[in-house]
Amino acid sequence: MMPYTTRTGTGAVVASFGLAIVLAIIPLPEWLRYLRPEWVTLMVIFWSLAVPGRINVGTGWILGLIIDILYGTLIGQHALALAVVSFITARLHQQIRIYPMWQQALSVFTLVALNQLLVVWVKGIAGQPPKTWFYWVPSLTSALIWPWLYIFMREIQRRYKVMDERTGA
């Protein structure tokens, strides 16, 4: 078992979140904007599944605040959504990890849709509901890319030896 203070692979985790944030804010043409997967949510889901002892509600909250600031949205709406998604994913990580890939993708669809539902709920309270049903398309695109993203990120996790400090795995 590794000592609790060891931070193996922290750079890989931080870099993956940084890349997800960049992919989330890169300008896209209007017609392509609705097809953009929820990159930050996907990274929170992946790392909450892989190392739930390291990536937790606080991580989701901080990443959500960063997204709120970068998008110029109401502070806390993405933070709330990512914190809830992180909590649910970490809570169910043992079940989700043993699912076949298509069931994991379905779980990811549900978690991303929940993320979007919480964001749109806060926007609705603030009087800014979405203008079109295309708002929900990123849930589908996120689920569709999940198998490839999962395989790629598992390789990153293995290569950089990202481990959960609680379990040493």
Side-chain angles (χ1 to χ4, degrees):
M1 184 181 267
M2 296 180 62
Y4 184 72
T5 58
T6 303
R7 288 287 183 196
T8 307
T10 301
V13 175
V14 171
S16 69
F17 283 135
L19 180 60
I21 289 170
V22 168
L23 290 172
I25 64 171
I26 270 181
L28 293 175
E30 187 67 27
W31 64 273
L32 193 57
R33 189 170 55 102
Y34 290 109
L35 295 176
R36 180 193 325 247
E38 290 285 330
W39 292 110
V40 177
T41 308
L42 287 171
M43 282 299 141
V44 167
I45 292 169
F46 175 80
W47 289 117
S48 293
L49 285 174
V51 286
R54 289 179 70 177
I55 304 305
N56 53 30
V57 174
T59 307
W61 183 262
I62 290 168
L63 288 168
L65 286 176
I66 292 169
I67 291 297
D68 287 334
I69 291 166
L70 291 174
Y71 284 175
T73 57
L74 185 64
I75 298 294
Q77 70 183 23
H78 288 93
L80 169 68
L82 285 175
V84 169
V85 166
S86 178
F87 173 77
I88 292 171
T89 305
R91 185 84 170 146
L92 299 175
H93 78 279
Q94 290 178 333
Q95 289 89 352
I96 295 172
R97 283 200 301 204
I98 63 170
Y99 289 163
M101 195 54 68
W102 71 271
Q103 283 182 325
Q104 279 189 19
L106 189 60
S107 298
V108 166
F109 174 81
T110 305
L111 290 165
V112 173
L114 174 64
N115 178 69
Q116 290 186 283
L117 178 67
L118 291 169
V119 169
V120 80
W121 176 61
V122 173
K123 282 183 177 183
I125 290 172
Q128 305 167 344
K131 296 172 180 58
T132 176
W133 282 98
F134 287 124
Y135 173 81
W136 300 99
V137 172
S139 296
L140 181 61
T141 57
S142 296
L144 290 174
I145 68 161
W146 175 255
W148 294 278
L149 180 69
Y150 181 83
I151 291 166
F152 176 75
M153 291 305 298
R154 282 296 286 192
E155 183 58 33
I156 296 294
Q157 180 187 7
R158 288 182 182 127
R159 179 171 289 157
Y160 293 100
K161 298 177 178 68
V162 180
M163 295 186 208
D164 195 341
E165 288 137 356
R166 290 185 308 176
T167 62

